[in-house]
Amino acid sequence: MVKVASTFGRSGTHDFILLRASAIIMALYAIFMVSFLVSAETINYAVWTNLFANLGMKIFTMLALTSVLIHGWIGIWQVLTDYVKNSGLRAFIQFVVSVALIVYWLAGLLVVWPVEGV
């Protein structure tokens, strides 16, 4: 079996499952955040900081960011292999997007994890 180094999963089926799982996690995170924003009486620094000071919220946020990374990685690979035929250009675009996704994940880690309650 040939393994493609540029895909996140091991096969098309694995990529399919990862895409669906990451989409469900991102949808759950979005639903939670929208419901929190709608139900909160006031949103100020203290409320926001206390929300993200909770260990469960930190883990849920990092899981959502990891889902964005996986979903974006597989998605950009699929789109580029379908529409960009020049392999050099495709590799460059995929590299740029992959670096951006990793930077977003790392920035999220550095922003969310050290948050302390007020």
Side-chain angles (χ1 to χ4, degrees), residues 72-85 90 93:
W73 192 301
I74 295 171
I76 199 67
W77 179 81
Q78 289 178 343
V79 169
L80 290 177
T81 54
D82 285 346
Y83 296 109
V84 179
K85 299 304 178 192
R90 183 173 60 238
I93 295 170

Side-chain angles (χ1 to χ4, degrees), residues 47-95:
V47 171
W48 198 248
T49 304
N50 284 330
L51 172 67
F52 283 95
N54 184 344
L55 179 63
M57 188 61 191
K58 289 179 182 183
I59 292 170
F60 192 28
T61 300
M62 290 313 301
L63 185 61
L65 283 172
T66 303
S67 295
V68 169
L69 176 90
I70 292 169
H71 203 88
W73 192 301
I74 295 171
I76 199 67
W77 179 81
Q78 289 178 343
V79 169
L80 290 177
T81 54
D82 285 346
Y83 296 109
V84 179
K85 299 304 178 192
N86 183 325
S87 61
L89 178 61
R90 183 173 60 238
F92 175 75
I93 295 170
Q94 188 173 352
F95 174 77

Side-chain angles (χ1 to χ4, degrees):
M1 181 168 120
V2 177
K3 291 186 178 183
V4 179
S6 60
T7 63
F8 201 84
R10 295 171 293 200
S11 65
T13 305
H14 195 246
D15 283 349
F16 178 85
I17 292 169
L18 283 172
L19 279 175
R20 287 352 179 240
S22 63
I24 289 170
I25 293 168
M26 289 186 297
L28 290 173
Y29 190 80
I31 290 168
F32 173 79
M33 289 305 293
V34 167
S35 65
F36 174 78
L37 293 172
V38 169
S39 66
E41 292 178 18
T42 60
I43 303 223
N44 55 27
Y45 179 77
V47 171
W48 198 248
T49 304
N50 284 330
L51 172 67
F52 283 95
N54 184 344
L55 179 63
M57 188 61 191
K58 289 179 182 183
I59 292 170
F60 192 28
T61 300
M62 290 313 301
L63 185 61
L65 283 172
T66 303
S67 295
V68 169
L69 176 90
I70 292 169
H71 203 88
W73 192 301
I74 295 171
I76 199 67
W77 179 81
Q78 289 178 343
V79 169
L80 290 177
T81 54
D82 285 346
Y83 296 109
V84 179
K85 299 304 178 192
N86 183 325
S87 61
L89 178 61
R90 183 173 60 238
F92 175 75
I93 295 170
Q94 188 173 352
F95 174 77
V96 169
V97 172
S98 298
V99 168
L101 288 168
I102 292 168
V103 167
Y104 294 155
W105 189 89
L106 288 171
L109 177 68
L110 293 174
V111 168
V112 169
W113 206 257
V115 174
E116 299 292 330
V118 174

